[in-house]
Amino acid sequence: MAAPLASKAGCAGTNSKPPFPELDFRSGARVEELNKLIQEFTKHDQREYDDQRALEIHTAKDFIFSMLGMVQKLDQKLPVANEYLLLSGGVREGVVDIDLDELNVYARGTDYDMDFTLLVPALKLHDRNQPVTLDMRHSALCHSWLSLRLFDEGTISKWKDCCTIVDHINGATNYFFSPTKVADWFYDSISIVLSEIQKKPQRGMPKVEKVEKNGTIISIILGVGSSRMLYDIVPVVSFKGWPAVAQSWLMENHFWDGKITEEEVISGFYLVPACSYKGKKDNEWRLSFARSEVQLKKCISSSLMQAYQACKAIIIKLLSRPKAISPYHLRSMMLWACDRLPANYLAREDYAAHFLLGLIDDLQHCLVNKMCPNYFIPQCNMLEHLSEETVMLHARKLSSVRSDPAEHLRTAIEHVKAANRLTLELQRRGSTTSIPSPQSDGGDTNQPDDRLAKKLQQLVTENPGKSISVFINPDDVTRPHFRIDDKFF
């Protein structure tokens, strides 16, 4: 009996020693340190907004919506009662799948303080209760041409000048909605409206600091009070329902099953003005599932989102030249990881470091194999067009990150802190005076605006991750109607 007792005592003595700190095998970095660095990055990257900043955000949004109402009145092209999708983060942040090589470089802190993407339907197909079949005969996977034959004669007449024309042998003429011509029209119309607005400036009106056409995107930077806000405005085609090409995706098991309904996920999709690598820019649109992604985001744990944001900050800087990998690729990989891994594992609050390292490994794997399937249309490989030289160059860069993730996290933290310092410095200088809403005449009327700003802040707090849309009546642009999912405010 003595020997076993001695053995047990020895085991007890071994177990009483402090456990060895958990290390990342590849880099030797302490997982605890990586977790702390991710938390620090999150703290500096996600700032709290006070009432004044909330009011400035509302003022800029109000100005943009009013401007779009005036664009509709120019030639009645835009739908009368339109539904926009407002996303937090600019196009460069990967909130929609649009190529970044045509976009000018803007930097947070230097050029803007907050960024948003606004999807503005030029056309709507909202009366479909069956899977939507698109004309993909001329396009790569995940892309489509759009014939105006789907619309009435009035719509064809309005948009004829924004189409490419194809004459068939039988004498029929087909008008294909052109993303480049629509973007040109949109930019010209916005420029006309802004020119008219600036001829009669009102007290409290935001300062238009920049209006640029970036490929098929219109980027506007507004100065409002002490804030500068970037709006990337994207002309899109809006559909209710779900595309037939993505129908098989619904048959698979997904991480969001049982957490949100299928109806929420497949409520609608878009065509955005982006073509494939070998596509015809004047005709080809890209399928976008931005509305669905807003819903799916509700099912992703905060620790995984923190790791994603930190990883995104690293790769935006590191993989910027040549432009081959966008944050949207990383977003797709994160969604695939959510399908692949157990929910209780991904929900671990202390696993942000594991998730960051895993995302880097996933991205490197995708590059080496030149394979990144679109989450909604897996048969579409988003890296197929890249050269072997480009993917190996980026894979080697990622290898350096994987060898020292702590150092790259510290660099990302310094970048975001520097951006915040620039913002605070501009606020201290008082580069623009604090101003009320565009509708204010300078009296006490900013009191209701303050209440509205607080109401908006409350709505966002109480409805995290929900799809936020806006209905605009161009005959009453002073009253934006906010929709959070299916509720109106």
Side-chain angles (χ1 to χ4, degrees):
M1 296 291 293
L5 286 173
S7 176
K8 287 180 182 178
C11 288
T14 301
N15 290 339
S16 66
K17 292 180 180 178
F20 199 79
E22 187 179 2
L23 301 179
D24 169 37
F25 186 91
R26 173 69 188 91
S27 66
R30 293 179 59 154
V31 169
E32 181 183 7
E33 181 190 9
L34 294 178
N35 276 327
K36 288 180 179 177
L37 288 170
I38 293 170
Q39 289 171 6
E40 185 180 356
F41 173 83
T42 302
K43 180 183 72 174
H44 294 292
D45 189 52
Q46 298 177 354
R47 295 163 296 167
E48 294 293 327
Y49 298 144
D50 56 19
D51 287 345
Q52 179 61 32
R53 182 60 62 89
L55 178 57
E56 291 167 354
I57 292 172
H58 163 65
T59 301
K61 197 183 321 183
D62 195 40
F63 178 84
I64 292 291
F65 295 155
S66 298
M67 176 199 74
L68 291 171
M70 295 173 70
V71 168
Q72 196 282 333
K73 284 187 170 183
L74 276 182
D75 50 16
Q76 308 294 312
K77 273 187 164 71
L78 293 180
V80 174
N82 215 353
E83 183 180 4
Y84 309 147
L85 182 65
L86 180 62
L87 303 168
S88 178
V91 167
R92 295 158 191 80
E93 292 294 313
V95 295
V96 286
D97 184 16
I98 290 182
D99 308 311
L100 304 183
D101 54 351
E102 292 185 333
L103 305 186
N104 293 339
V105 177
Y106 299 151
R108 183 173 138 185
T110 304
D111 300 297
Y112 65 89
D113 307 311
M114 287 167 286
D115 52 335
F116 304 92
T117 299
L118 188 64
L119 305 188
V120 179
L123 289 175
K124 298 194 298 182
L125 269 174
H126 280 193
D127 300 324
R128 300 299 178 100
N129 293 319
Q130 68 270 11
V132 180
T133 302
L134 298 168
D135 185 356
M136 297 181 166
R137 294 170 298 171
H138 316 284
S139 307
L141 270 170
C142 218
H143 297 80
S144 179
W145 290 23
L146 183 68
S147 170
L148 289 195
R149 283 181 179 175
L150 297 170
F151 299 86
D152 56 64
E153 287 299 323
T155 302
I156 294 174
S157 177
K158 278 184 197 176
W159 286 105
K160 196 180 291 186
D161 58 338
C162 289
C163 293
T164 57
I165 301 172
V166 177
D167 293 319
H168 293 282
I169 297 174
N170 61 9
T173 300
N174 204 347
Y175 295 94
F176 287 101
F177 206 42
S178 169
T180 53
K181 292 184 179 182
V182 169
D184 289 341
W185 164 82
F186 205 24
Y187 175 71
D188 291 342
S189 299
I190 286 175
S191 299
I192 290 169
V193 165
L194 289 178
S195 176
E196 288 300 312
I197 289 174
Q198 289 170 323
K199 286 178 183 176
K200 301 175 182 178
Q202 299 177 18
R203 186 173 184 269
M205 189 172 70
K207 178 185 177 184
V208 181
E209 297 189 354
K210 187 173 292 186
V211 183
E212 289 186 335
K213 184 170 173 288
N214 289 281
T216 53
I217 309 303
I218 293 87
S219 298
I220 300 176
I221 296 179
L222 300 177
V224 190
S226 59
S227 304
R228 295 160 302 160
M229 294 174 213
L230 166 64
Y231 270 83
D232 284 326
I233 302 178
V234 187
V236 299
V237 181
S238 173
F239 294 85
K240 289 291 186 189
W242 198 247
V245 69
Q247 199 69 20
S248 61
W249 177 79
L250 295 175
M251 304 299 109
E252 305 293 333
N253 294 324
H254 298 290
F255 71 98
W256 47 266
D257 293 338
K259 298 177 183 176
I260 52 178
T261 66
E262 187 173 286
E263 288 71 25
E264 290 176 284
V265 174
I266 65 171
S267 61
F269 68 100
Y270 299 97
L271 295 181
V272 296
C275 78
S276 61
Y277 179 65
K278 293 182 179 179
K280 190 174 181 181
K281 285 189 176 184
D282 288 344
N283 281 19
E284 197 170 82
W285 299 77
R286 181 172 297 160
L287 274 75
S288 170
F289 300 90
R291 185 180 292 278
S292 302
E293 289 163 1
V294 168
Q295 298 298 323
L296 299 185
K297 188 178 176 182
K298 295 188 288 188
C299 305
I300 299 176
S301 70
S302 60
S303 51
L304 179 54
M305 283 304 302
Q306 289 173 9
Y308 164 74
Q309 296 292 350
C311 189
K312 184 172 69 170
I314 291 171
I315 70 163
I316 283 177
K317 299 288 184 185
L318 188 74
L319 306 185
S320 60
R321 294 286 184 274
K323 288 182 179 177
I325 295 294
S326 83
Y328 189 81
H329 292 108
L330 188 67
R331 176 189 288 237
S332 300
M333 293 169 203
M334 177 177 64
L335 293 173
W336 281 118
C338 290
D339 272 358
R340 185 176 70 242
L341 297 165
N344 56 355
Y345 169 78
L346 293 174
R348 290 285 300 266
E349 293 184 1
D350 57 341
Y351 269 34
H354 296 82
F355 303 151
L356 171 70
L357 298 173
L359 288 170
I360 296 170
D361 287 341
D362 258 10
L363 184 53
Q364 193 168 21
H365 175 83
C366 289
L367 283 166
V368 169
N369 291 281
K370 211 166 76 169
M371 172 63 72
C372 179
N374 181 283
Y375 181 66
F376 299 93
I377 306 176
Q379 59 269 38
C380 172
N381 176 13
M382 296 188 291
L383 299 183
E384 186 177 28
H385 64 280
L386 296 181
S387 68
E388 296 293 336
E389 181 184 11
T390 296
V391 294
M392 291 311 297
L393 172 64
H394 285 322
R396 283 194 293 271
K397 288 181 180 179
L398 278 177
S399 180
S400 70
V401 178
R402 196 61 186 81
S403 298
D404 195 354
E407 182 59 31
H408 284 84
L409 276 172
R410 291 188 192 99
T411 300
I413 290 167
E414 287 307 311
H415 282 147
V416 73
K417 286 167 71 174
N420 291 342
R421 282 196 298 270
L422 281 170
T423 295
L424 291 173
E425 180 63 27
L426 284 171
Q427 289 174 353
R428 277 196 294 268
R429 290 180 192 170
S431 56
T432 54
T433 56
S434 182
I435 57 177
S437 167
Q439 268 67 48
S440 172
D441 61 3
D444 295 331
T445 51
N446 61 329
Q447 180 73 21
D449 277 314
D450 186 56
R451 287 198 300 269
L452 177 57
K454 290 179 180 178
K455 177 64 176 175
L456 292 175
Q457 202 170 32
Q458 179 185 350
L459 291 177
V460 172
T461 302
E462 293 175 352
N463 298 275
K466 292 195 175 180
S467 174
I468 300 178
S469 308
V470 177
F471 277 86
I472 291 293
N473 179 354
D475 295 321
D476 184 11
V477 295
T478 64
R479 297 184 62 199
H481 302 283
F482 296 87
R483 189 186 85 167
I484 298 182
D485 286 348
D486 293 323
K487 292 166 62 180
F488 289 83
F489 302 89

